[in-house]
Amino acid sequence: MTSRRVARIALLRVAAVYFFSFAALGSFFPYLPLLLAARGLRPAELTTVMTLLPVGNMLVPPLWGFLADALRLRSVLLVVACAGCAGSVFLFQPAWQFAGLLLAAAVLCAFRAPISTLADATTYTLLGADRHRFGVVRVWGSVGFGAAALVMGLLGGAARPTLLVVVCAGCYAASALAAVGLPEPATIERRGLLARAAHAAWRADTLLLLLATGCYYAGHACFDAYFTLHLGQLGATSAITGAAWGLGVLTEILLMVFAQRLLQSLPGAKLLAACAGVATLRWLVLAFTTTPALLLIAQPLHGITFGVWYLSLVREVQERTPDDLRTSLQGLTTSATGVGMVVGYVGGGSVFAHWAGRGLYACAAGAAALALALYALRARLLARAAAS
């Protein structure tokens, strides 16, 4: 079997990892609040359990990322993370109350949070010179999430907790099987790994990237968590709400597939700044538009504010980082998005309660504008460094 064919098969398997791991996410997490409410959790307890998700993204990925680089076991740890999710999701099956469900969420988050970090670094290594094709592989995660959420909705998953758990566990198990035996990086210099990782993390361009990404995702988390509630306050029907979400996911998928030429033609640093500018416009539209149907016009921007932004972010980390530090730095970037999620979920909830959607998305626009300034400063810094 030729090396090209081996690489192609490995990439197909990574695409399967993305598909099944995100299908597990889509089949379970959209319905988790309903499962928790059915177990009798009060609103404050439910919020505490759900807040573990972004907190896990904030704390866990850097630890797994550095461990993967230090041990040169990136793909092995990807298998462990997916298999750990498959097992830990069954902790939600017993009829536990708050303390037990909080423990279940913590264990699941410990395994779930590093999956994207490990998969992204593995994919970039496998792509080699074809790294501009990352979106064609990563898009299967978006497809899996959307398909699973739709199917579980049609099957009435919200009222069938056992079905939620079994399907989610099965999808994670399938992703673990797909990851078994994926090639590890050919050579990794282990000497001084911690010192080199710390040096890379403290570079001015890396710090600006992490800070800008945290601000950016604080705004985007406001959309993720409260867009449906915002539409409800504006009197949107369930058909409009479903169409809005579906249109956003569709454009995300299309741009991930067809944005290769864009990613090749423009520097990633400039693309990140451009995405932040589009996000600022998008959140302002949400803040000042009061007709639900008109909000559909802004939804295709999701393909830019998440799809193109995510591809550009991963590209910036992976292409500016040595192969032996890729998972560590990608883990730090995932942690920055986790910080943004915590701010958006918790702080956004308080703003939404006091000033409704208009105040919330005005704040989101401010966060995106700050991210734009930081991304632009970083792009200017990198341009100066390249010219000198």
Side-chain angles (χ1 to χ4, degrees), residues 121-166:
T122 299
T123 304
Y124 253 79
T125 298
L126 289 172
L127 284 168
D130 294 326
R131 291 168 185 168
H132 60 279
R133 292 180 55 81
F134 173 74
V136 178
V137 181
R138 171 58 179 79
V139 72
W140 288 103
S142 300
V143 173
F145 184 95
L150 176 62
V151 170
M152 290 305 295
L154 294 174
L155 293 176
R160 303 170 67 183
T162 300
L163 179 65
L164 291 179
V165 168
V166 169

Side-chain angles (χ1 to χ4, degrees), residues 24-54 92 96 98 101 105 108 145 149 157-161 164-165 224-226 228-229 345:
L25 208 62
S27 67
F28 189 71
F29 283 98
Y31 306 101
L32 181 57
L34 299 175
L35 185 152
L36 297 175
R39 296 282 172 82
L41 266 64
R42 296 188 296 272
E45 294 173 334
L46 192 152
T47 300
T48 301
V49 174
M50 295 301 296
T51 303
L52 278 179
L53 308 181
F92 287 90
W96 286 344
F98 173 61
L101 291 169
L108 179 59
F145 184 95
R160 303 170 67 183
L164 291 179
V165 168
D224 296 339
Y226 301 105
T228 298
L229 294 177
Y345 285 7

Side-chain angles (χ1 to χ4, degrees), residues 329-388:
L329 270 294
Q330 192 66 50
L332 284 176
T333 309
T334 304
S335 180
T337 64
V339 173
M341 289 174 70
V342 172
V343 173
Y345 285 7
V346 179
S350 179
V351 173
F352 190 80
H354 287 87
W355 292 289
R358 173 166 291 190
L360 176 67
Y361 291 111
C363 290
L370 178 57
L372 169 59
L374 293 169
Y375 279 139
L377 178 61
R378 177 177 178 271
R380 186 175 180 180
L381 180 70
L382 290 172
R384 283 183 176 181
S388 62

Side-chain angles (χ1 to χ4, degrees), residues 11-249:
L11 286 172
L12 288 174
R13 290 171 58 196
V14 174
V17 172
Y18 279 119
F19 179 86
F20 285 112
S21 62
F22 277 87
L25 208 62
S27 67
F28 189 71
F29 283 98
Y31 306 101
L32 181 57
L34 299 175
L35 185 152
L36 297 175
R39 296 282 172 82
L41 266 64
R42 296 188 296 272
E45 294 173 334
L46 192 152
T47 300
T48 301
V49 174
M50 295 301 296
T51 303
L52 278 179
L53 308 181
V55 169
N57 279 349
M58 182 174 65
L59 299 177
V60 174
L63 302 177
W64 282 73
F66 181 76
L67 187 64
D69 286 339
L71 300 179
R72 200 167 63 182
L73 293 176
R74 191 180 293 166
S75 300
V76 170
L77 289 180
L78 180 58
V79 175
V80 172
C82 292
C85 287
S88 58
V89 74
F90 282 103
L91 295 174
F92 287 90
Q93 184 61 16
W96 286 344
Q97 298 303 306
F98 173 61
L101 291 169
L102 189 65
L103 174 63
V107 174
L108 179 59
C109 286
F111 287 106
R112 184 194 67 84
I115 289 178
S116 290
T117 294
L118 295 165
D120 290 347
T122 299
T123 304
Y124 253 79
T125 298
L126 289 172
L127 284 168
D130 294 326
R131 291 168 185 168
H132 60 279
R133 292 180 55 81
F134 173 74
V136 178
V137 181
R138 171 58 179 79
V139 72
W140 288 103
S142 300
V143 173
F145 184 95
L150 176 62
V151 170
M152 290 305 295
L154 294 174
L155 293 176
R160 303 170 67 183
T162 300
L163 179 65
L164 291 179
V165 168
V166 169
V167 171
C168 180
C171 288
Y172 275 128
S175 65
L177 288 174
V180 171
L182 285 172
E184 299 288 355
T187 57
I188 287 184
E189 177 57 58
R190 300 187 189 184
R191 290 177 298 178
L193 188 68
L194 180 59
R196 288 186 293 114
H199 180 266
W202 281 101
R203 289 198 320 252
D205 64 294
T206 304
L207 291 174
L208 282 171
L209 180 69
L210 296 175
L211 184 58
T213 297
C215 293
Y216 185 93
Y217 214 80
H220 219 291
C222 294
F223 169 79
D224 296 339
Y226 301 105
F227 181 59
T228 298
L229 294 177
H230 179 53
L231 287 176
Q233 287 189 343
L234 295 178
T237 64
S238 58
I240 290 178
T241 301
W245 281 104
L247 187 58
V249 172

Side-chain angles (χ1 to χ4, degrees), residues 233-279:
Q233 287 189 343
L234 295 178
T237 64
S238 58
I240 290 178
T241 301
W245 281 104
L247 187 58
V249 172
L250 177 61
T251 54
E252 173 191 329
I253 290 172
L254 290 174
L255 279 174
M256 279 193 169
V257 172
F258 296 108
Q260 299 175 44
R261 185 170 298 177
L262 178 66
L263 292 171
Q264 283 181 290
S265 61
L266 292 174
K270 291 184 177 180
L271 276 175
L272 287 172
C275 289
V278 173

